[in-house]
Structure formats: C-alpha cells, structure tokens
C-alpha cells in the first residue's frame, strides 16, 4: 500500500503553488479578459531577483520582499506598455501573442543574466518531514493570500472599483472610477501574487524553464475552476496538485501530463466554463 | 528547362518504391578533405545551449572551446587551427537534424565532434553515415554508437550506461552484500541501459524500480515508493539535477538510503553547488556534507580534486581561458573530449583526410585523459570501457574506493583496468 | 450651467454630431429630441467624455471640460446615466449604488444613500440582491439613484424611458422634475420629455434643427410631424 | 475563371518557382526551403482555424506530432508503402484526431479552448513514454525515408527532391484549402467567428462549422508533421513541445491572421528568424549566455513589435503597400 498521506501532503504543497499562479491568472483575466501567458516569466524574473538578494544577504525575507516589489513594477509596466495599446483593438489574439512574446523575452533575459544552469534556491523553513515547516509555510501563505485577495475584491471600495472596471469599463468610468488605473492595479496585484508563487515554486532549483510546467498546471487549475472564479481556481489548484501527485506515485510520472489533460477534458465536456465559472457569455 | 519539366513531372508522379525500402547505398567516406585547409580544420557539434537539457550540459562546449583555444595558441595540430562551431539544438531532435544538416551541407565541417544526447544524436547518425562524415566522441552513454558495420562513421566517447552499471553493481554486491536495492532511473535509455547492467550483476537484490520524467521535477512520489519498498541502497541513474533532487527529497522524507550514483549524475562539484544553499539558510540545518557524505559514485575521467597530471593541465587551461566558468566534471568532460579529438587529429597525420581520422580512431593508439582505455578498434567503436568507484567523505572530498575497472556490455567479467596511461607530457599534443 | 459650442464628433469619416450648439440652464430639464440616429447619444457621450470630439467646446459650471476623461467629468459634478441605465448586472443593488459615489467622504455617501432610498423606495428592499434580478423600471431607478449618489450638479440622461411601461416612464420623469436638478434629457419619447422639460432642442443628422421652449415645441405641429413623429 | 482552376494555376506557378529556386541554391538551403514548405502548410491550417473561425488553438503541435509519428511508424513497420500513402495516412489520423478535438472543443470559448488545447500539446507527446517499445519513449523514432524514384538517383540530389515533394504536397493541400475557404464554407466560418448567434440565426450550423474547421486544420497539421518526418527522418516527443504550438500561432499572427499569404510569411519567419538571429549571435563576440539566449529574445521582441505596430501582420503591410501603389498608378 503506497504512502498516500505523504503523496497527499506533497501534492498539497505543489497544488498551493498552482493555486497561487492560477489566482494571478484569474485576477488579470477578470480585470482585462486577457490570459497572461507572460505570467511565469514575470514570476521567474522576480524569483531570480529574490535569488540574487538571497545570495547577497544570506537571508530569505528581504529577497521575498524584493520579488514582490519587482512583481508590482513589472505588472504595471506590462499593462501600461504592452496591454493598454491593445485594449481598443478588440482582438482576442493580440494580447495572447504579445504576452507570449514577453514570455520569450523575459525567459531569455533571465538566461542571459543568470545562465541556464540551475541555481539552488532555499526554502523559507526546514523542509524535512511529512508536514515540514516549509510545506506548511507554502500552503498557509497561499491560503492567507487567497483569502486576502478575496476580501479585497469582495469587501473593500477598491475591490468594488476593480470589479466594476473589469465588468463594465464604460459604465465604471461614468461613475467616477478611474478605469485605466484600476486595470493597472489589477495587473500589479496579479503580478505580486505571481511573484509570490514564483518564489514559493522556485525551491529547490531555479532555472529559466522551471516555471513552465507550473504555469501549465496553474492554467489547467484556472480553467477547471472557472477562469473568472478565484475560489474555483484555488480549489482547482489544490485538487490538481493532489491528484497529480497520486497519479505520479500510483501510476507513473510519465502519466502526469496526460492525467492533467484527461481531467481538463472531462471537466470541460461537462461544464464548458469550468466547474465554478459563470456561463454568462460576455462579448468585449 | 528540361530538368525543370522533368522535376515537375517527377514530383507529380511521386514515388513508386516504398518509403522505407532503402537501396543499399555503399556507405563510406566522402569528400575526404571537406573543412580542411592548410591552416585550419573546421569541426562542428550540436549542443543543448538552451531548452530543457541546457542546465548541466551547456558548459560542455565551453570546456571544449577552451582546449581548442589552448591548442590553437600552441600553433594548432600540424599547423592547423581548430575552428569549433557549436550549434544550439535545444535538445529538440528536429532542430538537431536541421543544424547537423547545416553543419555538413552548408558549413562543410570536417567532422562532427561530441554531438550531445541520445534522442537528438540518434536522428543524425544515418545521415552522417550516408554523407560520409566522421561522427566521433558522441556525448551520450547509449549503446547505439558502437556499431562499426551499420554506422562506420560513428564513435562513442563516454563509458556506456550498461558497462558502468555493471561496475557499480559489482561494487554493491561486494561492499554492501545482502542489502535491498532500489533504482531511481530516468525513463529513457539512460535508465534502461543502466538497469540492464545492474540486472547482469545484482538482479535479485533489486526491490523497486522507480522511473522519473525529466520534465517533472517532483520526485517525492518516487522516493516515497523507494522508502516503502525497504530499499537500503538507492542506485541513481540520473542527471545531476535529479541526483540532487533525489537526495533533497530523501532528506525531506527522513529517508536515509545509501545513494549510489552513475557517472552522469555524480558530479560532486555540481552537486555541491546545487545543494550548498540548503546548509546556510533559513533554519534548515542541512549542510552539504550531511547530504553528500557517504554517497557512492562512478567516474571515468580524472577527478577535479585529484592531483592527476591531466587535472593539473585542465586546471591551467581553465584558469587561462574560462576562469568565469566553474570547473565541474561537466567542463572537464568537454575538455577531455576536445583533447581526445585533438590527439586523433595529430595521429591522423599532416595530410589530413576523413579516412585518416577514422583510421586514427581505429588504431587504438588514443590514450587520453580518461582513467580507462577506449575500446576503439576495427571491431568496436565503443568509448571508455570502464570506470572507477568513489565515495564522498565528510569534507565532501572524493576518495577512490575501487580502482578503475573495465568490462564489456555483455556478460563478461569486471576486471581491473590496465594501470598505465599516458600523461599529457607523453602525449605532447602541442609545442 | 452646461454650454456646448460647435461640437463635432465623428466615428470614422461621417460625423455623428456635426456642429451642435446647446445651452442647458440650471435647475431645469433641457430635452434633446430626435429620431433614431440623429446623434443624441453621441452628443451625450461626447459631453461626458466617453468619446473625444473633433472640434468644439463643452463648458460646464464655468469650466471648460472638453476632452476630460469621464471619471473626471463626473467628479466635477456632471453625472451621466447611459442608455439602458448601465446597471452592472453581476453586482448587487447595494454595490451598484455604492459605486455611484465611492470617491466622496463616507458621511456624504451615507447621506446620499438615505436620500436615494427615500426617493426610490422599491430599491430599499432589494439591496442585497443581484442587479440582474431587477425589473426594467427598477433598473432605471437604480441607474438614476446611482447617479444621484455622486450628488451631481447636473444630470445627463440617455433615454430613461426606453423599454419601460408608460406609467413607469411617467413616474420616473416626474421624479426627475421634482428633483429640480439641472438635467439634460435625451429622449425619443418627445411628448413625455417635453412635458417635464423647460426647453427643447431637436436634432437631425447631427445638427440642431430647432431650439425653443418646451411648450412652443409641443405646439409646433409642423416640426412635430417632420422630426418627432407624433 | 473558376476558383479551382485559378488556384491550381497559382499552385503550379508556385511549384515551378520552387523547382527553379531549388536548382540554384545549395543543398542545405534546399532543406530550409522544404522546411518553409511544411511550416507553410501547418500555419495555413492554423490560420483557417484561428483566423477564419476564431478558435484560438495553443495545441496545434499535437497534430504535427500525430502526422510525424504516423509516417515514422509506417516507414519502419510497413516499408513497402510509398511515401504518398504514408502521408495520406498521416492526414487521415490527425484528421480524425482533429474532428474529435473539434467536437470536444465546439462548446468552448476563448481562454477555455486555449487552456484545453495547451494541455493537449503538453499531454499528448507523453503517450510515447507509455508505449516505449512501439513509440520509442523519449528517444522517439529515427528512420530514413527513401522516395527518390530510381530513375532520378544520381541525377537529382536528395535534398532537392525532398524540397519538391514537400512543396508539391503542401501546394496541393493549399489549393484545397483556398478553395474551401473562398467558398460557402469560408463565409460560414467568418460568420461563426463574427457572431455565433447571428450565424446560427442565418442558418449556419455553428457546431458543424467549428468541427469542420478543426478537422481541416488538423489535416493540414498532420500532413505538415508527416512532411517534417519525411524531410528530417525523425519523430520524437522533444520536437513537439508546447513551444512549437505557440510558435505556430505566433507565425499566424506575424504573417497576418486569416490569410494564406500571411501563412507564407509566417512560415518564412519561423525558419529564418531563428536562423538569422543565431547567425547574428555568432557574428558578435558576445558572452556565451547572452549569445545562447539572443535568438529567443529576438523572436520575442519581433512578436511584440509586430502585434503592436502591424496589427494585420506582414501581409497587411504588403497589401496596404500594393494598394497604395495601385492607387498611385491609377
């Protein structure tokens, strides 16, 4: 009998990271109806910055802080310089390609600066044990951050503005909401959450492609959960993490990607907008 | 115009014969002196400089280039400078075929040296054979390179995974008798060929075989299964990153097996670099010595820590040409490979041709930086024939526990390697 | 209160608003009438900053607001209730209301909130419900109430009667007059609009073709037949 | 002139041009020429799906994967079959897969479809790991396709012949594609893209049109994969990463979405942008890490700039240019 508890705990930790990166995708999708394919690269840059700060200071927390700040700056720049010019275009494909281009550029820049060699990236706490402090930190952080994001959206004036700007930018403007600023804030918020996900996902080894698979599973989680539903996405991330850990342990690691595909096909054939997504088709 | 019309008609009537039936084209060297001038020789290679295999392998060509620069600064081989062209294939077989075709058809390289990877290089062997281009010192321990009849242009370099696993298996059988053995292996020929070697020696002791997928960095499920199988010894047929992941994951599970690592994943310098940060940081008192000490590994090139004369030479070259790159086993790999090739060029003589280069390899006169002899002869194109076994001590230094051994890839015995090998001074490549 | 001079707005090569001059006096309703496609909605959208004009000026409360972004215009005191109300269906009624005056001090928001609920009692009972559950009339009340949350100096309304039953329309328009706000009312329902308006403009193909007191316009049969269709 | 005849004449002219070009260029440039040919087909198929029907697929590499493995398996296990039968089989296999994918995807919109197809591109190649005996595991399949008619051996160099076969097949498929997309089916596709509800009200069978678009583009993808296998003699999972799928989509946009001419420019960019950037990187004495990653960075920058500056891709620019010239001559 395989050690299901250990598999579940390992899966939960992976799932937390999928959930966090998925949440970043959802925030941006809700704000601008764009799936941000550059998300893993933005997070990667932040993780590498954290790595550099860690190396210089020998600590963990300053690096994390730098990563979060860098995430905010990168998110704002991306929205202002690359996404905003496309807003009036009404072309679904343009932002996809622009964010893909950004993904390539940022990954390449990371490779140029930090090389393709894997760099060891520390855990926040001791990583040993089935319920290691490091794993608990990852899971708790993600749950707390997700809760904070939900609270921000649901119960604060800023959250109301963000939602209004995302849902009906024209109307929101007429109500005194600075729509452009809200979209930027949405990207900033998402990039900060993404940077956190990057730092949490980086250990033990950081390399330019390390977040690619994390991103694929994060997107899978978001699609399963419903791209405009943060709660669904977070649940989707955790469930996917545990499920894939079981698949790897019980059936074989080569089946993990196929299993993710199977779950996705199953869910989408039953519910084309994910388990918790709203089926209100909104043409933008 | 006639040939144009002929072409159009031929295309439209495309193909009468079967696509898979290849006519028996007489394989043999063609364009004897392609890439050769009086003052230079152009060689090429395909390497994963980007993409999934770049971590760990992107520095091989840096080491090789350093040796070629050293040779060229010493006047070259028979007055010829070696022009080394590295093409990035991203570990993508399609691109491998494209860049190798470019090297052969457009750049017209004299030889392909050290093309890296089994999935990649296996796709160009037939092409190189058909084009009559020497394809030497392939950077992979697969068995396929040793096929003098089918692929007369191709020569291996590193010890193949099966030979090496036989030697490691022998060490386990003798040094750890009666212990239960688990295997963590990459789910490709690295793992399959390695397990074939283990099975020749310690099949009955193996209690669990866990594959890992290089695209999936989470090996917790695999280590969990190994722990549950009761394996006291874990043989790692892995690349360095996954050796490190396995060691860390075992520590995470509180699982303390005896790790036995094949040469491709036992680069202690690289492992130390990867694991260094877990000692210093954030409360986790997991020092590199605690993680690595006791690890058993295999090697076939001189150890970076040793005072072997070859190591001394490589350190000099490293310090002069690539001081910014950490001197790992991977870099030494590239250096040894380049040195071996330069040696073959010298052996081939002043009037360089492709046939003479192949003859130089088959002459059996190449004795290189490696700790065991090459198998090169008319009958065998296999590279190094064996390996030594080392352990890592509590100061993360390597200690040889089993002097170089040689064996074959079949059921032959494991025997001590001949103790004599040439020193750099005896080879006297330049100057 | 609101003065528009020489306003030109174009989507592509054809101007939708073509040199409009208009003056909305303070404290009364000014109606803008015209057939479908006459340029009424574009005129409002230009005034409130949703589209940028090619030429002309918009002066509101003594300040030139031409080309201001919509959020700045509403903060200056000119609220715009768009066609169909622009209620955000995914938000609750309470959230929709709150959105109207979020930038104002908390106390002011609370006061306006009470006033709006007093004005439109049906909303009070439906605060926690999704706006999508409201009837057409309730949505229009919500839209106007939401605009009032900003305590505007002037209100621009785009077809508040569209799709509503005549009694509901009448109730809404009456409320509007009772508020004694400066209002610019765009309507196809000319009779209803002129009943509450002090002054009326008639637009056709982007130009002002008539401007007169509401009573005069109501009495001008020729004009009514030509442009207003009743 | 009926569209079919016109398209056939264009294709014949193009083939003559390709053959003429192949005679004057060196063997390796012939390989590149052939690569442009199969990429052209893949990108053209994707532009029908994404450009005409509006379904964004991030997993088109999966169909190339199927085509390449079909040809590889047939060459190895049924060596007596001529290459055109292998290619037809590749088209059929990925066509079936495309119809299945299309049926599953018909209800999906925008990002949901994108996510599902991306998962397809990531997941499908893993099948090779499950059946290593048949599909070669991560090493994949290696083989040599010999198709040179006996009469031409020694007369026509292999690479030139390969370029001819690739382009002949690709152009034939493009004729079919052009005919389909300029006819009623093309109008239905555009109607579905612009507004599904109105299309349905106008009598277009939306679901059927979407599935058909997937089928057509999968057939093109499968053929392209088959041609790649024919040309390069390899079918391995490492060649069909999500990066390939994303590069194909990028090529669609680079060339100009929805246009078969755009597909040509996209294919040229796919082959030559990478090569050009590598030459560029080789040409300077850059630090190794910078040189290694320069081609990727250049590709990314080109994508961003094209989308921001040339919304209609290269073809859009050329069309504008030619229109302006026509106007100025009138």
């Amino acid at each position: 009998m395989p050690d299901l508890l250990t598999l579940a705990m390992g899966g939960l930790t992976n799932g937390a990271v999928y959930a966090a990166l998925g949440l970043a995708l959802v925030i941006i999708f809700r704000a601008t109806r764009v799936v941000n394919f550059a998300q893993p690269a933005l997070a990667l840059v932040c993780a590498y910055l954290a790595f550099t700060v860690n190396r210089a200071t020998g600590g963990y927390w300053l690096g994390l802080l730098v990563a979060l700040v860098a995430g905010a700056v990168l998110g704002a720049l991306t929205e202002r310089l690359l996404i905003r010019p496309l807003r009036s275009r009404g072309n679904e494909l343009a932002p996809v390609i622009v964010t893909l281009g950004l993904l390539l550029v940022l990954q390449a820049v990371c490779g140029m600066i930090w090389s393709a060699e894997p760099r060891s990236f520390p855990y926040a706490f001791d990583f040993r044990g089935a319920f290691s402090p490091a794993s608990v930190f990852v899971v708790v952080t993600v749950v707390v951050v997700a809760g904070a994001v939900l609270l921000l959206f649901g119960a604060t004036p800023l959250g109301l503005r963000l939602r209004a700007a995302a849902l009906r930018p024209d109307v929101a403007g007429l109500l005194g909401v600075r729509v452009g600023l809200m979209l930027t804030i949405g990207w900033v918020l998402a990039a900060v959450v993404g940077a956190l996900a990057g730092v949490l996902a980086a250990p033990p080894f950081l390399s330019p492609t390390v977040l690619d698979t994390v991103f694929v599973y994060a997107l899978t989680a978001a699609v399963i959960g419903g791209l405009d539903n943060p709660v669904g996405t977070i649940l989707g991330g955790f469930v996917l993490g545990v499920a894939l850990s079981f698949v790897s342990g019980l059936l074989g690691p080569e089946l993990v990607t196929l299993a993710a595909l199977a779950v996705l096909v199953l869910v989408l054939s039953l519910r084309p907008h994910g388990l918790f997504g709203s089926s209100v088709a909104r043409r933008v | 115009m006639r040939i144009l019309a002929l072409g159009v008609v031929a295309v439209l009537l495309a193909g009468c014969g079967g696509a898979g039936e290849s006519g028996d084209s007489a394989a043999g060297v063609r364009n004897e002196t392609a890439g050769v001038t009086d003052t230079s020789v152009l060689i090429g290679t395909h390497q994963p400089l980007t993409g999934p295999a770049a971590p760990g392998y992107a520095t091989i060509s840096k080491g090789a280039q350093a040796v070629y620069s050293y040779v060229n600064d010493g006047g070259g081989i028979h007055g010829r400078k070696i022009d080394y062209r590295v093409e990035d294939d991203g570990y993508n077989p399609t691109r491998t075929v494209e860049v190798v075709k470019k090297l052969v058809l457009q750049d017209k390289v004299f030889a392909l040296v050290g093309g890296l990877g089994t999935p990649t290089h296996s796709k160009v062997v037939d092409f190189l054979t058909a084009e009559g281009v020497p394809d030497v010192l392939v950077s992979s321990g697969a068995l396929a390179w040793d096929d003098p009849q089918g692929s007369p242009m191709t020569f291996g370099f590193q010890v193949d995974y099966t030979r090496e696993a036989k030697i490691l298996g022998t060490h386990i059988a003798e040094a750890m008798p009666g212990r239960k053995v688990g295997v963590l292996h990459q789910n490709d020929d690295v793992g399959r060929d390695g397990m074939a070697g283990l099975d020749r020696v310690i099949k009955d002791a193996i209690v669990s075989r866990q594959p890992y997928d290089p695209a999936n960095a989470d090996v917790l499920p695999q280590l969990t299964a190994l722990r549950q199988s009761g394996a006291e010894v874990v043989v790692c047929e892995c690349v360095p990153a996954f050796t490190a992941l396995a060691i860390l994951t075992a520590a995470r599970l509180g699982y303390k097996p005896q790790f036995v690592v094949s040469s491709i994943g036992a680069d202690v310098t690289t492992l130390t670099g990867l694991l260094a940060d877990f000692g210093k940081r954030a409360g986790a008192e997991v020092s590199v010595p605690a993680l690595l000490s006791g690890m058993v590994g295999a090697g076939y090139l001189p150890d970076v820590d040793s005072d072997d004369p070859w190591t001394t030479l490589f350190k000099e070259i490293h310090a002069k040409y690539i001081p910014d790159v950490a001197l790992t086993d991977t870099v030494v790999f590239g250096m040894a490979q380049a040195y071996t090739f330069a040696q073959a060029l010298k052996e081939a003589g002043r009037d360089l041709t492709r046939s003479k280069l192949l003859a130089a390899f088959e002459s059996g006169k190449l004795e290189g930086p490696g700790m065991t002899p090459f198998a090169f002869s008319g009958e065998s194109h296999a590279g190094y024939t064996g390996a030594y076994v080392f352990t890592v001590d509590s100061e993360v230094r390597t200690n040889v526990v089993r002097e170089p051994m040689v064996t074959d890839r079949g059921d032959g015995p494991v025997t001590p390697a001949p103790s004599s090998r040439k020193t750099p001074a005896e080879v006297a490549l330049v100057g | 209160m609101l003065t528009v001079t020489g306003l030109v707005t174009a989507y592509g090569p054809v101007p939708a608003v073509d040199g409009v001059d208009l003056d909305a006096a303070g404290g009364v309703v000014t109606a803008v009438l015209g057939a479908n496609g006459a340029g009424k909605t574009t005129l409002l959208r230009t005034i409130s900053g949703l589209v940028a004009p090619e030429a002309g000026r918009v002066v509101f409360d003594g300040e030139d607001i031409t080309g201001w972004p919509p959020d700045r215009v509403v903060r200056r005191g000119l609220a715009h209730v768009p066609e169909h109300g622009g209620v955000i269906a995914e938000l609750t009624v309470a959230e929709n209301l709150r959105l109207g005056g979020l930038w104002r001090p908390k106390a002011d928001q609370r006061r306006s909130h009470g006033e709006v609920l007093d004005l439109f009692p049906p909303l009070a009972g439906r605060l926690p419900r999704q706006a999508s559950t409201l009837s057409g009339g309730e949505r229009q009340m919500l839209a106007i109430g939401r605009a009032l949350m900003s305590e505007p100096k002037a209100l621009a309304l785009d077809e508040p009667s569209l799709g509503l039953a005549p009694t509901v329309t009448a109730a809404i328009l009456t409320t509007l007059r009772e508020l004694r706000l400066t209002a610019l009312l765009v309507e196809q329902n000319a009779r209803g609009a002129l009943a509450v308006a002090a002054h009326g403009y008639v637009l056709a193909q982007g130009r002002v073709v008539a401007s007169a007191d509401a009573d005069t316009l109501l009495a001008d049969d020729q004009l009514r037949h030509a442009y207003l269709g009743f | 002139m009926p569209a079919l005849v016109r398209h056939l004449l264009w294709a014949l002219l193009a083939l003559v041009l390709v053959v003429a070009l192949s005679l004057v260029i060196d063997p390796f440039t012939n390989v590149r020429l052939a690569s442009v040919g199969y990429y052209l087909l893949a990108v053209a198929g994707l532009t029908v799906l994404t450009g005409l029907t509006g379904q964004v697929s991030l997993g088109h590499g999966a169909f190339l994967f199927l085509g390449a493995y079909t040809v590889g398996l047939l060459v190895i296990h049924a060596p007596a079959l001529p290459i055109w039968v292998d290619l037809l089989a590749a088209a059929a296999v990925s066509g079936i897969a495309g119809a299945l994918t299309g049926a599953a995807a018909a209800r999906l919109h925008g990002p949901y479809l994108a996510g599902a197809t991306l998962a397809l591109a990531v997941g499908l190649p893993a099948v090779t790991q499950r059946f290593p005996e048949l599909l070669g595991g991560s090493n994949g399949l290696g083989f040599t396709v010999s198709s040179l008619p006996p009469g031409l051996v020694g007369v026509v160099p292999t690479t030139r012949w390969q370029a001819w076969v690739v382009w002949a097949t690709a152009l034939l498929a493009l004729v079919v594609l052009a005919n389909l997309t300029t006819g009623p089916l093309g109008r239905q596709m555009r109607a579905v893209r612009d507004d599904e509800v109105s299309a349905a009200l106008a009598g277009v069978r939306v679901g059927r049109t979407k599935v058909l678009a997937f089928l057509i583009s999968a057939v093109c993808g499968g053929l392209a994969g088959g041609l790649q296998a024919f040309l390069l003699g390899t079918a391995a999972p490492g060649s069909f990463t999500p990066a390939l799928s994303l590069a194909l989509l990028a090529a669609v946009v680079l060339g100009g979405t929805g246009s078969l001419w755009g597909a040509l420019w996209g294919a040229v960019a796919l082959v030559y942008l990478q090569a050009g950037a590598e030459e560029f990187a080789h040409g300077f004495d850059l630090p190794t890490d910078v040189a290694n990653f320069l081609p990727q960075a250049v590709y990314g920058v080109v994508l961003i700039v094209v989308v921001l500056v040339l919304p209609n891709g290269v073809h859009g620019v050329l069309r504008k240019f030619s229109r302006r010239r026509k106007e100025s001559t009138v």
Side-chain angles (χ1 to χ4, degrees), chain C residues 72-86:
Chain C
R72 204 169 150 209
V73 172
V74 61
R75 283 163 201 241
R76 183 67 184 74
L78 175 59
H80 177 167
V81 180
E83 213 170 354
H84 304 292

Side-chain angles (χ1 to χ4, degrees), chain B residues 16-325:
Chain B
C16 324
E21 292 167 343
S22 62
D24 231 8
S25 58
V29 171
R30 291 165 54 188
N31 305 324
E32 283 285 4
T33 56
V36 180
T37 71
D38 282 346
T39 55
S40 71
V41 52
L42 177 66
I43 60 173
T45 189
H46 62 89
Q47 301 285 325
L49 302 180
T50 56
Y57 295 132
T59 54
I60 289 180
S61 47
K62 293 185 189 179
Q65 181 60 61
V67 167
Y68 293 132
S69 300
Y70 160 79
V71 169
N72 291 345
D73 288 352
I77 305 291
H78 298 304
R80 290 190 182 90
K81 303 265 168 86
I82 299 169
D83 186 356
Y84 179 55
R85 190 156 297 180
V86 184
E87 290 287 344
D88 177 19
D89 65 9
Y91 214 62
N92 172 345
T94 304
R95 273 179 64 196
T96 311
V97 177
E98 284 168 359
V99 299
V100 168
K101 285 195 170 175
K102 173 175 177 293
L103 287 168
V104 171
L105 298 175
Q106 191 174 64
D107 302 339
K108 302 205 168 20
V109 294
F110 176 68
L112 203 75
V113 182
L116 189 144
T118 311
T120 47
H121 195 75
S122 58
K123 307 304 183 295
V124 294
V125 169
D126 285 351
F127 169 71
L128 293 168
T129 306
E131 293 290 323
V133 180
D135 171 29
V136 297
L137 305 175
V138 179
S139 302
S140 146
L143 304 172
W145 323 130
D146 178 19
D147 180 13
Q149 260 68 53
S151 324
M153 301 291 141
T154 303
F155 290 80
F157 173 61
Q158 70 195 65
V159 59
D160 65 59
Y161 305 126
T162 302
R163 273 189 169 93
E164 191 191 334
K166 277 175 73 181
I167 292 168
L168 280 175
T170 305
H171 179 73
I172 292 169
E174 290 174 9
M176 313 159 200
R179 308 269 283 277
K180 288 183 190 169
V181 178
V183 186
L184 178 69
H185 64 91
Q186 193 157 303
N187 60 352
D188 58 12
D189 58 297
V190 172
R192 274 198 305 279
D193 294 355
M195 269 194 296
L198 290 175
D199 282 345
R200 295 236 158 82
V201 192
I202 50 166
K203 188 170 189 178
D204 295 339
I206 297 177
V207 293
S208 175
R209 298 159 196 263
Q210 294 295 323
Y212 75 83
D213 190 314
N216 183 349
D218 179 22
V219 292
L220 184 76
Q222 285 66 48
L223 266 295
T224 308
L226 286 169
R227 181 179 65 172
Q228 280 207 301
S229 73
E232 300 150 281
V233 177
V234 169
V235 181
C236 233
E237 303 279 355
C238 324
V239 295
F242 277 83
T243 308
L245 278 172
I247 289 173
L248 278 176
T249 308
R252 180 172 165 190
L253 291 170
Y255 173 40
K256 297 191 176 81
Q258 167 69 56
F259 276 103
V260 176
V261 185
S262 62
S263 62
I264 55 164
D267 179 346
V268 174
T269 316
T270 302
L271 290 176
T272 305
L274 285 173
L275 298 173
D277 269 12
F278 299 94
K280 290 181 271 179
R281 301 282 157 72
E285 296 141 20
V286 195
S287 64
V288 173
L291 288 170
L292 282 183
S293 82
M295 185 187 100
V296 171
Y300 52 93
L301 295 173
D303 192 88
V304 180
D305 280 342
S306 68
D307 49 7
D308 189 276
W310 288 96
T311 307
T312 313
L313 172 68
F314 289 154
K315 280 183 176 162
E316 280 169 23
I317 296 175
H318 172 261
K320 183 165 177 202
Y321 293 99
I322 46 170
D324 300 339
V325 181

